[in-house]
Amino acid sequence: MAPIRPAEEAERCPQPSLSEEQEASEYLVARCKKIRTSDYMLFSSDALVHIASDSKASEKYTWLGERLRLTFKMMRSDSRLIRTMCHSHGLMQCSSKNPQVNVIWMGAPVKSVKMRELMPWQRLNQFPRSTELTKKDRLYENIERSKSIFGEAYDFIPEFYVTPRENQKMEIAFDRVLKEVTAAGGELCFPGEFIVKPTNSRQGKGIFFANSMADIPAEGPLLVSRYLKDPYLVNNHKFDLRIYVAVTSFYPLVAYVYSEGLARLASRPYDTSASSADSNEYVHLTNYSINKNSTSFVRNESMSSEDLGHKWTLGALLRYVENEGKDAKLLMLRIEDLIVKSLLSIQNSVATASRTTLRFACTNFELFGFDVLVDQALKPWLLEVNLSPSLACDAPLDSLLKTRLIADLLNLACVPLLDKKIIDSVTPALRKSMNASQDSETSDPDELELDPKCAKTLKRRPVGLKRSVLTKKIVSGNTSLIPNTEKKFDQIVRKVELEEGRRGDFIRVFPRNGTWGMYSPVMEDLGSDDFDERLFAEVITKKNMKNSSEQIATSSSSSSSSHSTFSSSAFSSMRIEEVSDLFHDVMMECSKYPSLADVPIEVREIISPWYEEASEYTKKITQDGETYASKLPTIRSTARLRTKSCAEFYEVRKVQMAKKKEAEAAAAKENEPVVLQAVAAKRVV
Ligand SMILES: Nc1ncnc2c1ncn2[C@@H]1O[C@H](COP(=O)(O)OP(=O)(O)OP(=O)(O)O)[C@@H](O)[C@H]1O
């Protein structure tokens, strides 16, 4: 069944009439009834259409958040999109110090002590230790580690070294490359055989090229990686892909890829022979933040053309690839594969940290921005993974895509609908329980009980949310407040099932039909819990069994078999481990298997449903005849709900920002324009 988009869900309720008050109140009653059947907030990009005008229409999105007094806070982030989305759904922004908040949006790594304080109804956009993925050197080292354990299945990052600790190895690599190139009668690549990046920089800052140790400065750490000099070109321009990935659980792993993404093109044609040094950055780096400064950069101001200028949609790029006679959907399966493997490479670290850090299941979710470079054989290479990828809406297509992305992401996060009164009354008891369980590590957390006073308060049910999961649990009395590992697992299973109807344009890539068989041989053993295997059994196998028994019941003549099992005749002569080996070979060897037709039948049978689903990536993101808002709305002041302390903070901040801008403008006048230099001139920025 196709997932219900929140907008559709909202549309099922009667529309409020602007003229007749009675009709409006009937609408609210109907909406109220509808919402009570759900325990979680529904976010919709449509809400943003109405928030700018003082119209009644926006009430249908804001009234519930306002009535329950839901709140959000933003820390080390000032994303206008997140603020607009939350305000459009009636959430009030509170100060960064407020602990009683529903949604926390962090733009930088969160300390584990903060995560320990998370309450079951709170949602935080980060997992502990996910920086293992988002710090460049850690990402590369983690994948390299998996490669050393599981072999070529993890061959999707360029050869790399981290300075200064791998200087010796790097010197040998420089010599080796020089010998290889001269033996082949060629010349070292322009602008360099290696690309060098500070491990914690962003937006292309500090990048330069190197051909020998003499080009590497002593200070570090720097990530020196092999420059992929044969990129797939679009109209003779290099590009990279920004793929959005949501993770709602690391152990068991539950990962989604957004079907809409971006392709960022270099603003000058690709050329490795020689070129004027001052254009290098616009030829070899595809960062939007760099190329937007190029005189050749063309901004896409149109909503109807997805392939105009130097920032395209992912779908437009894939359609271009298809028009060139290549298998774009197989490319996307390979990208999904490298995403799953990157997440698996840090699963152990995150799971270990989560065990001691996260008291409740389902409180965390995370959005990653995967940057992928595609080479001429159509092999995707992972360049880096971004923590809190840019949500700036600089172009009409940007704002359309990112607004939907954030609405769908927050729906996956499942923000509980819980009145502030309930939260306020439960919190002290829950905190007491959490502290108690922390003090006595050996005691069984299941023994902890809620203060009877609290249960009594809850029984009054201030807004009648009697189906709220949390309320139900606490009111029922003798239940645990801090779930043990098994209970957490059950909650995750239920949430994954719930996510299926709330995923919008996200495609679940793990777990899905066939993933356990294909990936378990390249996954680390995380202990006797076997959560990944058990989740697969709960969410995939059981569903398949149900579907096949329904199929048998409805059509006795049906002979089709499930893709998740290996009962097909094609597998009769092959063991599952052999099919898995073949699968990873197919994922890595792009020249050997350029299209689905070249993929051996054993693997094809498994990936065919994934391949069909990959059609979602190639679709246009707008529909002909429909109109869309081309930029983020300015929220009307009455809807910009902020707590007093938060409003004061913003006043101070406004003054600080104005001062900072003035200082920057003065500094910019003094500085020379910065350009990327080739190897000879070395440093950038
Ligand atoms: N190994 C490589 N081979 C070829 N090109 C590369 C390689 N590594 C990086 N690039 C190019 O350099 C650009 C910047 O690299 P990268 O994304 O790793 O840096 P960044 O500064 O972290 O960028 P951002 O955070 O804005 O995504 C890439 O978009 C890509 O075009």
Side-chain angles (χ1 to χ4, degrees):
M1 193 185 82
I4 300 169
R5 288 192 65 96
E8 290 168 25
E9 175 89 353
E11 291 312 317
R12 289 179 191 179
C13 296
Q15 301 294 310
S17 155
L18 295 182
S19 52
E20 293 168 46
E21 245 179 50
Q22 202 188 348
E23 258 186 51
S25 74
E26 271 171 23
Y27 157 75
L28 287 180
V29 171
R31 175 85 178 129
C32 188
K33 276 189 193 152
K34 178 80 201 163
I35 281 295
R36 278 183 199 165
T37 64
S38 165
D39 292 318
Y40 304 95
M41 187 82 187
L42 278 172
F43 290 86
S44 162
S45 53
D46 292 354
L48 276 70
V49 177
H50 307 290
I51 197 68
S53 59
D54 202 359
S55 96
K56 265 256 176 232
S58 69
E59 200 181 330
K60 101 176 171 187
Y61 300 99
T62 56
W63 78 272
L64 187 63
E66 282 180 25
R67 187 158 168 208
L68 297 180
R69 291 192 288 157
L70 299 184
T71 52
F72 73 100
K73 69 178 176 187
M74 301 186 42
M75 294 163 80
R76 313 274 299 274
S77 161
D78 198 20
S79 164
R80 194 172 148 213
L81 174 56
I82 299 296
R83 258 188 291 133
T84 310
M85 182 62 71
C86 289
H87 283 309
S88 305
H89 291 83
L91 272 75
M92 177 184 283
Q93 185 170 9
C94 59
S95 95
S96 58
K97 296 202 174 72
N98 193 333
Q100 312 281 67
V101 65
N102 299 82
V103 178
I104 308 167
W105 190 269
M106 281 293 303
V110 185
K111 288 196 179 117
S112 52
V113 310
K114 288 273 162 234
M115 290 207 196
R116 279 184 79 83
E117 290 166 7
L118 279 178
M119 293 293 193
W121 54 81
Q122 294 183 318
R123 295 293 179 265
L124 169 70
N125 68 325
Q126 216 172 93
F127 281 93
R129 281 228 213 127
S130 58
T131 46
E132 288 290 311
L133 202 62
T134 54
K135 270 196 79 194
K136 288 187 178 66
D137 51 342
R138 293 302 303 139
L139 167 74
Y140 278 59
E141 283 164 348
N142 282 316
I143 291 170
E144 191 64 14
R145 202 181 114 265
S146 296
K147 192 173 168 188
S148 70
I149 304 171
F150 301 112
E152 296 305 303
Y154 280 81
D155 182 26
F156 53 84
I157 49 163
E159 173 190 347
F160 75 97
Y161 303 92
V162 180
T163 73
R165 60 174 181 268
E166 293 186 320
N167 278 1
Q168 260 185 345
K169 275 190 186 169
M170 201 162 53
E171 196 163 359
I172 297 169
F174 279 129
D175 286 348
R176 192 199 73 227
V177 169
L178 183 63
K179 274 186 201 142
E180 279 169 12
V181 172
T182 36
E187 281 180 11
L188 288 174
C189 147
F190 183 91
E193 292 287 341
F194 287 83
I195 182 166
V196 189
K197 312 169 204 175
T199 55
N200 54 3
S201 79
R202 299 186 64 175
Q203 304 188 324
K205 286 184 193 131
I207 295 182
F208 59 98
F209 293 91
N211 270 335
S212 74
M213 282 308 280
D215 301 323
I216 307 289
E219 70 270 19
L222 297 167
L223 178 79
V224 181
S225 58
R226 193 70 197 261
Y227 186 60
L228 301 166
K229 52 190 171 196
D230 294 318
Y232 194 87
L233 301 179
V234 166
N235 301 330
N236 211 25
H237 287 246
K238 179 176 172 177
F239 69 91
D240 77 348
L241 300 174
R242 164 59 55 88
I243 310 286
Y244 298 99
V245 175
V247 178
T248 55
S249 165
F250 258 99
Y251 185 55
L253 181 64
V254 183
Y256 297 83
V257 175
Y258 205 55
S259 63
E260 296 166 8
L262 293 168
R264 295 155 321 170
L265 278 68
S267 49
R268 303 228 175 140
Y270 194 63
D271 182 4
T272 49
S273 52
S275 66
S276 69
D278 71 347
S279 68
N280 278 336
E281 57 184 339
Y282 303 136
V283 175
H284 296 280
L285 307 188
T286 48
N287 307 64
Y288 166 70
S289 46
I290 287 182
N291 283 283
K292 68 179 181 189
N293 302 320
S294 157
T295 48
S296 331
F297 185 79
V298 177
R299 200 174 282 275
N300 185 355
E301 299 291 357
S302 144
M303 185 61 89
S304 51
S305 312
E306 296 184 18
D307 56 355
L308 199 143
H310 294 107
K311 203 196 256 186
W312 292 13
T313 61
L314 173 66
L317 190 285
L318 295 175
R319 293 192 293 274
Y320 176 96
V321 169
E322 273 178 346
N323 282 341
E324 299 238 300
K326 304 282 191 311
D327 195 334
K329 286 192 266 180
L330 190 55
L331 165 66
M332 281 314 296
L333 292 200
R334 289 182 167 126
I335 291 177
E336 290 175 350
D337 174 68
L338 74 76
I339 288 168
V340 168
K341 286 171 180 163
S342 307
L343 297 170
L344 289 175
S345 77
I346 66 153
Q347 190 185 28
N348 197 357
S349 306
V350 180
T352 310
S354 300
R355 257 180 227 123
T356 52
T357 311
L358 305 180
R359 318 295 291 275
F360 301 96
C362 311
T363 47
N364 302 54
F365 65 100
E366 191 150 357
L367 178 72
F368 297 104
F370 276 67
D371 289 350
V372 174
L373 191 95
V374 180
D375 73 13
Q376 277 179 16
L378 232 62
K379 178 176 170 74
W381 295 88
L382 180 61
L383 295 183
E384 69 155 346
V385 181
N386 289 277
L387 171 107
S388 65
S390 163
L391 297 177
C393 298
D394 294 355
L397 281 171
D398 254 353
S399 60
L400 179 66
L401 185 160
K402 291 176 184 174
T403 309
R404 290 175 179 176
L405 168 73
I406 292 304
D408 289 346
L409 177 76
L410 291 174
N411 285 324
L412 274 184
C414 295
V415 178
L417 289 171
L418 206 59
D419 189 277
K420 191 169 177 306
K421 279 185 196 160
I422 296 183
I423 292 176
D424 288 347
S425 59
V426 173
T427 302
L430 201 47
R431 287 237 184 270
K432 211 169 114 193
S433 302
M434 286 161 77
N435 293 340
S437 79
Q438 205 172 333
D439 291 345
S440 57
E441 288 295 308
T442 48
S443 75
D444 180 1
D446 276 4
E447 296 302 313
L448 295 164
E449 282 176 25
L450 184 69
D451 179 346
K453 262 194 200 162
C454 267
K456 213 173 147 196
T457 318
L458 286 171
K459 275 180 186 150
R460 277 191 245 125
R461 288 192 282 108
V463 287
L465 287 169
K466 67 176 176 200
R467 280 173 48 87
S468 157
V469 173
L470 192 83
T471 314
K472 219 165 42 180
K473 275 192 70 174
I474 294 174
V475 171
S476 67
N478 225 5
T479 49
S480 137
L481 293 186
I482 301 172
N484 63 17
T485 316
E486 275 308 307
K487 276 191 188 158
K488 279 188 188 169
F489 177 74
D490 292 344
Q491 288 166 358
I492 292 171
V493 171
R494 281 208 304 278
K495 175 143 183 279
V496 175
E497 286 164 352
L498 188 70
E499 286 167 8
E500 184 54 23
R502 299 173 59 92
R503 64 184 168 84
D505 288 328
F506 276 106
I507 296 173
R508 194 174 69 215
V509 294
F510 200 93
R512 65 176 165 183
N513 269 345
T515 49
W516 179 247
M518 294 305 99
Y519 286 96
S520 58
V522 297
M523 284 166 73
E524 279 180 59
D525 184 358
L526 300 193
S528 55
D529 306 333
D530 295 329
F531 278 179
D532 283 302
E533 187 173 6
R534 287 170 56 197
L535 183 71
F536 185 82
E538 288 290 332
V539 178
I540 310 292
T541 316
K542 272 190 189 167
K543 191 172 150 197
N544 285 337
M545 277 160 59
K546 197 170 153 235
N547 286 350
S548 23
S549 56
E550 276 170 13
Q551 259 180 23
I552 291 165
T554 51
S555 149
S556 53
S557 60
S558 165
S559 59
S560 68
S561 65
S562 158
H563 290 289
S564 68
T565 58
F566 296 89
S567 57
S568 159
S569 57
F571 301 113
S572 56
S573 59
M574 255 183 146
R575 287 184 304 119
I576 175 82
E577 293 80 5
E578 290 169 331
V579 181
S580 167
D581 283 350
L582 194 53
F583 164 78
H584 295 294
D585 197 47
V586 167
M587 289 296 113
M588 294 300 123
E589 297 298 329
C590 304
S591 309
K592 201 164 150 194
Y593 311 104
S595 73
L596 188 70
D598 303 298
V599 173
I601 180 72
E602 295 84 351
V603 175
R604 206 185 321 150
E605 241 191 76
I606 304 219
I607 65 174
S608 289
W610 308 356
Y611 189 85
E612 268 169 41
E613 206 169 9
S615 310
E616 292 296 313
Y617 298 113
T618 58
K619 281 188 181 155
K620 270 193 87 188
I621 75 169
T622 52
Q623 280 180 13
D624 295 338
E626 286 201 8
T627 51
Y628 302 91
S630 60
K631 56 182 184 179
L632 283 183
T634 306
I635 314 166
R636 63 196 153 82
S637 53
T638 47
R640 212 180 297 135
L641 302 172
R642 284 176 181 160
T643 59
K644 195 165 167 270
S645 55
C646 180
E648 282 165 7
F649 168 81
Y650 266 86
E651 276 311 307
V652 174
R653 201 189 153 90
K654 225 161 110 184
V655 176
Q656 283 172 346
M657 291 296 282
K659 279 189 187 156
K660 196 174 158 201
K661 258 194 184 160
E662 265 175 35
E664 275 173 4
K669 266 190 190 168
E670 283 173 22
N671 287 340
E672 293 276 286
V674 188
V675 288
L676 180 74
Q677 306 278 311
V679 173
K682 253 181 9 187
R683 285 312 293 262
V684 219
V685 195

